[in-house]
Amino acid sequence: MNLTIDIGNSSVKYSVFDKERCIWHEQADIRSTQPVERAKSMGVQQVIISSVSDKGKEIEEVLSQANLPVYRLGQSPLRLPFRIGYKTPDTLGSDRIAAVAGAWKLAPGQSVLVIDMGTCITYDLLSNEGIFVGGNIAPGLKMRIRSMHEHTARLPLTEIPQDEPPFLGGTTYEAITSGAMWGIRMEAEGYYLHLKQQYPDIQVMVTGGDCRTLAHTLGHFASIHDSLVDTGLNTILDYQQQ
């Protein structure tokens, strides 16, 4: 029984895995420790943490009292099922490593473009030879919309539409939301088409907080995996025992 903890910029995702099957998942405020207590009561035997922030000290304190083996991706010297080709592995975010590990698990022996749509959008390539080749970081959906408002004199702060926006906006409101959402679609599709020339077998896996919001614009060339990071963390944790 494994507990995976994915600490983001504003919230924490918890998952309990019985071997490869996720049997419990919860997302909570970064200051809450109640999910840790619930996971402990389920009989977890080891824990792995991925964190992109310096927050989560309360979670660490509860875990330190639980007498469980705790692995920290990015801080502990963990074995990985693939090779890192990144030139500065010490600066590589643990969430990016975990998402690629999830892709490695779900599509063994294939090239995968992993797109994580969170606060920022990351594009990471896992080759069919099992190498994390590298990737790019771009502004996320909310960051794009907010920055257009904050860095101009007159553009309003818009809400993210629930439905697919028009390709070309007929109002300033639509122009902002369509520009942000269709811009991400064109960006993602551009990466896919460019990499497909070198990696003909490439798949595209999309995860992250905004993946469902943008799913309708990505569906024809990408598959959505809400729990890709959790799956990757569990894969890495199990890999330590092999």
Coordinates of all heavy atoms in Angstrom, one line a residue, residues 45-81:
Q45 N 2.1 1.7 3.7 CA 3.4 1.2 4.2 C 4.6 2.0 3.8 O 5.6 1.9 4.4 CB 3.6 -0.3 3.7 CG 2.5 -1.2 4.2 CD 2.5 -2.5 3.4 OE1 2.4 -2.5 2.2 NE2 2.7 -3.6 4.1
Q46 N 4.4 2.9 2.8 CA 5.5 3.8 2.4 C 4.9 5.0 1.7 O 3.8 4.9 1.2 CB 6.5 3.1 1.6 CG 6.0 2.3 0.4 CD 7.0 1.6 -0.4 OE1 8.2 1.6 -0.1 NE2 6.6 0.8 -1.4
V47 N 5.6 6.0 1.6 CA 5.1 7.3 1.1 C 6.2 7.9 0.2 O 7.4 7.8 0.4 CB 4.9 8.3 2.3 CG1 4.3 9.6 1.7 CG2 4.0 7.7 3.3
I48 N 5.7 8.6 -0.9 CA 6.5 9.3 -1.8 C 5.9 10.7 -2.0 O 4.7 10.8 -2.1 CB 6.8 8.7 -3.1 CG1 7.8 9.4 -4.0 CG2 5.5 8.4 -3.9 CD1 8.3 8.7 -5.2
I49 N 6.8 11.8 -1.9 CA 6.3 13.1 -2.0 C 7.0 13.8 -3.2 O 8.2 13.7 -3.4 CB 6.7 13.9 -0.7 CG1 6.0 13.3 0.5 CG2 6.2 15.4 -0.8 CD1 6.5 13.9 1.8
S50 N 6.1 14.5 -4.0 CA 6.6 15.5 -5.0 C 6.1 16.8 -4.6 O 5.0 17.0 -4.3 CB 6.1 15.1 -6.4 OG 6.3 16.1 -7.3
S51 N 7.0 17.8 -4.6 CA 6.6 19.2 -4.2 C 7.3 20.2 -5.1 O 8.5 20.1 -5.4 CB 7.0 19.5 -2.8 OG 6.7 20.8 -2.4
V52 N 6.5 21.2 -5.6 CA 7.0 22.2 -6.4 C 7.1 23.5 -5.6 O 7.3 24.6 -6.2 CB 6.1 22.4 -7.6 CG1 6.1 21.2 -8.5 CG2 4.7 22.8 -7.2
S53 N 6.8 23.5 -4.3 CA 6.9 24.7 -3.5 C 7.6 24.4 -2.2 O 7.9 23.2 -1.9 CB 5.5 25.2 -3.2 OG 4.8 24.4 -2.3
D54 N 7.8 25.4 -1.3 CA 8.4 25.2 0.0 C 7.4 25.0 1.1 O 7.7 25.0 2.2 CB 9.3 26.4 0.3 CG 10.4 26.6 -0.6 OD1 11.0 25.6 -1.1 OD2 10.8 27.7 -0.9
K55 N 6.1 24.9 0.6 CA 5.0 24.7 1.6 C 4.9 23.2 2.0 O 5.6 22.4 1.5 CB 3.7 25.3 1.0 CG 3.8 26.7 0.6 CD 2.5 27.2 -0.1 CE 2.6 28.7 -0.5 NZ 1.4 29.1 -1.3
G56 N 3.9 23.0 2.9 CA 3.6 21.6 3.2 C 4.4 21.1 4.4 O 4.5 19.9 4.6
K57 N 4.9 22.0 5.3 CA 5.7 21.6 6.5 C 4.8 20.9 7.4 O 5.3 19.9 8.1 CB 6.3 22.9 7.2 CG 7.3 23.5 6.3 CD 7.9 24.8 7.1 CE 9.0 25.4 6.2 NZ 9.6 26.6 6.9
E58 N 3.5 21.2 7.5 CA 2.6 20.5 8.4 C 2.5 19.0 8.0 O 2.4 18.2 8.9 CB 1.2 21.2 8.4 CG 1.2 22.6 9.0 CD 1.5 23.7 7.9 OE1 1.8 23.2 6.8 OE2 1.3 24.8 8.2
I59 N 2.4 18.8 6.7 CA 2.3 17.4 6.2 C 3.6 16.7 6.6 O 3.5 15.5 7.0 CB 2.1 17.5 4.7 CG1 0.8 18.2 4.3 CG2 2.2 16.1 4.1 CD1 0.6 18.4 2.9
E60 N 4.7 17.3 6.4 CA 6.0 16.6 6.8 C 6.0 16.3 8.3 O 6.5 15.2 8.6 CB 7.2 17.6 6.4 CG 7.3 17.8 4.9 CD 8.2 16.8 4.3 OE1 8.6 15.8 5.0 OE2 8.5 16.9 3.1
E61 N 5.5 17.1 9.1 CA 5.5 16.9 10.5 C 4.7 15.7 10.9 O 5.1 14.8 11.7 CB 5.0 18.1 11.3 CG 6.0 19.3 11.3 CD 5.5 20.5 11.9 OE1 4.3 20.5 12.5 OE2 6.2 21.6 11.9
V62 N 3.5 15.6 10.3 CA 2.6 14.4 10.6 C 3.3 13.1 10.1 O 3.2 12.1 10.8 CB 1.3 14.6 9.9 CG1 0.4 13.4 10.0 CG2 0.5 15.8 10.5
L63 N 3.9 13.2 8.9 CA 4.6 12.0 8.4 C 5.7 11.6 9.2 O 6.0 10.4 9.4 CB 5.0 12.2 6.9 CG 3.9 12.3 5.9 CD1 4.5 12.8 4.5 CD2 3.2 11.0 5.7
S64 N 6.5 12.5 9.8 CA 7.6 12.2 10.6 C 7.2 11.5 11.9 O 8.0 10.7 12.5 CB 8.4 13.5 11.0 OG 7.6 14.3 11.9
Q65 N 6.0 11.6 12.3 CA 5.5 10.9 13.5 C 4.8 9.6 13.2 O 4.5 8.8 14.1 CB 4.4 11.8 14.2 CG 5.0 13.1 14.7 CD 3.9 14.1 15.1 OE1 2.7 13.7 15.3 NE2 4.3 15.3 15.3
A66 N 4.7 9.3 11.9 CA 4.0 8.1 11.5 C 4.9 6.8 11.4 O 4.4 5.7 11.2 CB 3.3 8.3 10.1
N67 N 6.2 7.0 11.5 CA 7.2 5.9 11.4 C 7.0 5.1 10.2 O 7.0 3.9 10.1 CB 7.0 5.0 12.7 CG 8.2 4.0 12.9 OD1 9.3 4.4 12.5 ND2 7.9 2.9 13.4
L68 N 6.9 5.8 9.0 CA 6.8 5.2 7.7 C 8.0 5.7 6.9 O 8.5 6.8 7.0 CB 5.5 5.7 7.0 CG 4.2 5.2 7.6 CD1 3.1 6.0 6.8 CD2 4.0 3.7 7.4
P69 N 8.5 4.8 6.0 CA 9.5 5.2 5.0 C 9.0 6.3 4.1 O 7.9 6.1 3.5 CB 9.8 3.9 4.2 CG 9.3 2.8 5.0 CD 8.1 3.4 5.8
V70 N 9.6 7.4 4.0 CA 9.2 8.5 3.2 C 10.3 8.9 2.2 O 11.4 9.2 2.6 CB 8.9 9.8 4.1 CG1 8.4 10.9 3.2 CG2 7.8 9.5 5.1
Y71 N 9.9 8.8 0.9 CA 10.8 9.2 -0.2 C 10.4 10.5 -0.7 O 9.2 10.8 -0.9 CB 10.8 8.1 -1.3 CG 11.2 6.7 -0.9 CD1 10.3 5.9 -0.3 CD2 12.5 6.3 -1.1 CE1 10.6 4.6 0.1 CE2 12.9 5.0 -0.7 CZ 11.9 4.2 -0.1 OH 12.3 2.9 0.2
R72 N 11.4 11.4 -1.0 CA 11.1 12.7 -1.5 C 11.7 12.9 -2.9 O 13.0 12.9 -3.0 CB 11.7 13.8 -0.5 CG 10.9 13.8 0.8 CD 11.6 14.6 1.9 NE 10.9 14.6 3.1 CZ 10.9 13.7 4.0 NH1 11.7 12.6 3.8 NH2 10.2 13.7 5.1
L73 N 10.9 12.9 -3.9 CA 11.4 12.9 -5.3 C 12.0 14.3 -5.5 O 11.5 15.3 -5.2 CB 10.2 12.8 -6.2 CG 10.6 12.7 -7.7 CD1 11.5 11.6 -8.0 CD2 9.3 12.5 -8.5
G74 N 13.3 14.3 -5.9 CA 14.0 15.5 -6.2 C 15.0 15.8 -5.0 O 15.9 16.6 -5.2
Q75 N 14.7 15.2 -3.9 CA 15.6 15.4 -2.7 C 16.4 14.1 -2.4 O 17.5 14.2 -2.0 CB 14.8 15.9 -1.5 CG 14.1 17.2 -1.7 CD 13.3 17.7 -0.5 OE1 13.6 17.2 0.6 NE2 12.3 18.5 -0.7
S76 N 15.7 13.0 -2.5 CA 16.3 11.7 -2.2 C 16.9 11.2 -3.5 O 16.4 11.4 -4.6 CB 15.3 10.7 -1.7 OG 14.6 11.3 -0.6
P77 N 18.1 10.4 -3.4 CA 18.7 9.8 -4.6 C 17.9 8.6 -5.0 O 18.3 7.4 -4.7 CB 20.1 9.5 -4.1 CG 19.9 9.3 -2.6 CD 18.8 10.2 -2.2
L78 N 16.8 8.8 -5.7 CA 15.9 7.7 -6.1 C 16.3 7.1 -7.5 O 16.7 7.8 -8.4 CB 14.5 8.2 -6.1 CG 13.9 8.7 -4.8 CD1 12.4 9.1 -5.0 CD2 14.0 7.7 -3.7
R79 N 16.1 5.8 -7.6 CA 16.3 5.2 -8.9 C 15.1 5.4 -9.8 O 13.9 5.4 -9.3 CB 16.4 3.7 -8.7 CG 17.7 3.2 -7.9 CD 17.7 1.8 -7.6 NE 17.6 0.9 -8.8 CZ 16.6 0.1 -9.0 NH1 15.6 0.0 -8.1 NH2 16.5 -0.7 -10.1
L80 N 15.3 5.7 -11.0 CA 14.2 6.0 -12.0 C 14.2 4.9 -13.1 O 15.2 4.4 -13.4 CB 14.4 7.3 -12.6 CG 14.4 8.5 -11.7 CD1 14.7 9.8 -12.4 CD2 13.0 8.7 -11.0
P81 N 13.0 4.6 -13.6 CA 12.9 3.6 -14.6 C 13.3 4.1 -16.0 O 13.3 3.3 -17.0 CB 11.4 3.2 -14.6 CG 10.7 4.4 -14.1 CD 11.7 5.0 -13.2

